[in-house]
């Protein structure tokens, strides 16, 4: 008689085999008090300003304020410029992410660090750097002005460039991480069947990493929509031409606080929508 046939061994209702004890299925215990109190304080610290924004919002006059001409110009410019900056980030950032994830070259770690530098660089410093590079007297801007008559600072195109500068790293990081997680053998199989590297990338790799591209594009769009420092430094604050929603909020806060609150609610709504769209990707476990 084996240990499984002993009378005292618990068995299942049909198979007669011993029941396996499930690990981790019991009721979770409460959090320790030293962790609970700081956690609640952190939650209150993060949510209280947002709740205050909702409490003090001029809900009755909100539709009229958002329908104003200046507010609509800022909204429209913000949406158009953020979308254009995201398109620039997609066209340039996806190939860059592929190079960082799939190719080996000297100094790749340094290049990756430089690509992510705008994430930690103060936005105002980024705007100053753009002025020094693309301004009329900049390293490249002087040649653009002399050869093609193109002036980027304090224009709508300057807004797009400033937003793309700070938003593209979000896309590159997301796409590079997705590429590293994807199995490269599918690309190798396509190349062995006669496909070129670009065809394999277009027909095989892009469908595989489409969710990562979408998540990175949403993050880049949201970051571009909320950009302030680099935009005001490089593009200025001209209503109807370079004044985006964050700049309009800053200007309205000095003269019309209720208008500033109304615009802030729009930005808050967009941020919540972005987090809700990315919830299935980041906030669930497999």
């Amino acid at each position: 008689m084996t240990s499984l046939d002993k009378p005292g061994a618990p068995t299942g209702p049909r198979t007669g085999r011993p029941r396996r004890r499930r690990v981790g299925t019991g009721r979770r215990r409460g959090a320790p008090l030293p962790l609970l109190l700081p956690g609640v304080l952190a939650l209150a610290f993060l949510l209280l300003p947002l709740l205050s924004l909702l409490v003090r919002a001029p809900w009755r006059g909100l539709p009229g304020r958002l329908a104003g001409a200046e507010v609509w110009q800022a909204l429209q410019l913000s949406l158009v410029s953020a979308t254009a900056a995201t398109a620039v980030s997609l066209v340039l950032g996806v190939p860059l992410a592929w190079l960082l994830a799939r190719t080996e070259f000297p100094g790749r770690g340094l290049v990756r660090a430089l690509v992510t530098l705008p994430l930690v660089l103060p936005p105002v410093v980024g705007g100053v750097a753009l002025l020094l590079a693309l301004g009329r007297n900049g390293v490249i801007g002087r040649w653009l002005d002399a050869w093609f008559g193109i002036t980027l600072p304090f224009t709508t195109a300057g807004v797009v460039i400033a937003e793309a500068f700070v938003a593209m790293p979000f896309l590159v990081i997301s796409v590079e991480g997705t590429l590293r997680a994807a199995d490269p053998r599918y690309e190798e199989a396509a190349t062995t069947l006669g496909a070129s590297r670009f065809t394999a990338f277009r027909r095989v790799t892009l469908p595989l990493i489409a969710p990562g591209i979408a998540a990175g594009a949403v993050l880049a769009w949201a970051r571009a929509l909320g950009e302030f420092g680099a935009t005001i430094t490089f593009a200025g604050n001209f209503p109807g031409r370079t004044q985006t929603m964050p700049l309009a909020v800053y200007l309205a806060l000095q003269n019309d606080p209720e208008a500033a609150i109304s615009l802030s609610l729009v930005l808050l709504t967009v941020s919540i929508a972005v987090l809700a769209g990315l919830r299935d990707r980041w906030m669930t476990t497999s």
Side-chain angles (χ1 to χ4, degrees), residues 20-259:
R20 296 180 179 178
R21 294 183 179 180
R22 296 182 180 180
V23 180
T25 58
R27 185 175 298 177
R28 295 182 179 179
R29 298 179 179 179
L33 188 61
L35 298 180
L36 181 61
L37 290 180
V40 172
L41 290 176
L43 182 64
F45 174 74
L46 295 175
L47 294 183
L48 183 59
L50 302 179
L51 294 177
S52 301
L53 184 64
L54 296 175
V55 171
R56 299 295 298 273
W59 295 106
R60 293 183 178 179
L62 184 62
R65 291 184 178 278
L66 294 181
E70 295 182 357
V71 174
W72 174 247
Q73 287 179 353
L75 286 171
Q76 186 179 17
L77 179 61
S78 294
L79 295 175
V80 171
S81 60
T83 303
T86 304
V88 173
S89 300
L90 284 170
V91 172
L92 302 179
V94 173
L96 176 58
W98 186 88
L99 291 176
L100 293 175
R102 288 287 192 263
T103 60
E104 295 284 346
F105 56 89
R108 186 175 65 168
L110 178 61
V111 172
R112 183 180 291 111
L114 294 176
V115 168
T116 57
L117 187 60
L119 294 177
V120 297
L121 193 69
V124 175
V125 177
V128 173
L130 289 173
L131 277 176
L132 296 178
L134 301 176
R136 287 187 175 182
N137 296 321
V139 176
I140 301 175
R142 67 176 65 183
W143 304 112
L144 292 176
D145 189 14
W147 293 350
F148 306 102
I150 298 177
T151 303
L152 295 175
F154 309 107
T155 62
T156 304
V159 175
V160 175
I161 290 176
E163 292 179 350
F165 177 76
V166 299
M168 190 183 301
F170 289 89
L171 177 75
V172 173
I173 290 176
S174 178
V175 176
E176 183 188 359
T178 306
L179 280 168
R180 290 184 176 276
D183 194 344
R185 290 179 295 179
Y186 295 107
E187 300 177 36
E188 297 173 359
T191 55
T192 56
L193 293 175
S196 62
R197 295 295 298 274
F198 180 72
T199 302
F201 172 78
R202 182 171 54 89
R203 301 292 296 273
V204 178
T205 307
L206 278 181
L208 286 175
I209 65 173
I213 294 177
V218 171
L219 282 176
W221 188 83
R223 180 63 183 89
L225 188 68
E227 168 52 31
F228 176 83
T231 303
I232 196 173
T233 306
F234 182 66
N237 187 16
F238 300 100
R241 188 171 65 179
T242 64
Q243 186 182 87
T244 58
M245 280 195 293
L247 303 183
V249 170
Y250 177 76
L251 184 63
L253 189 61
Q254 303 176 14
N255 303 320
D256 190 357
E258 291 189 352

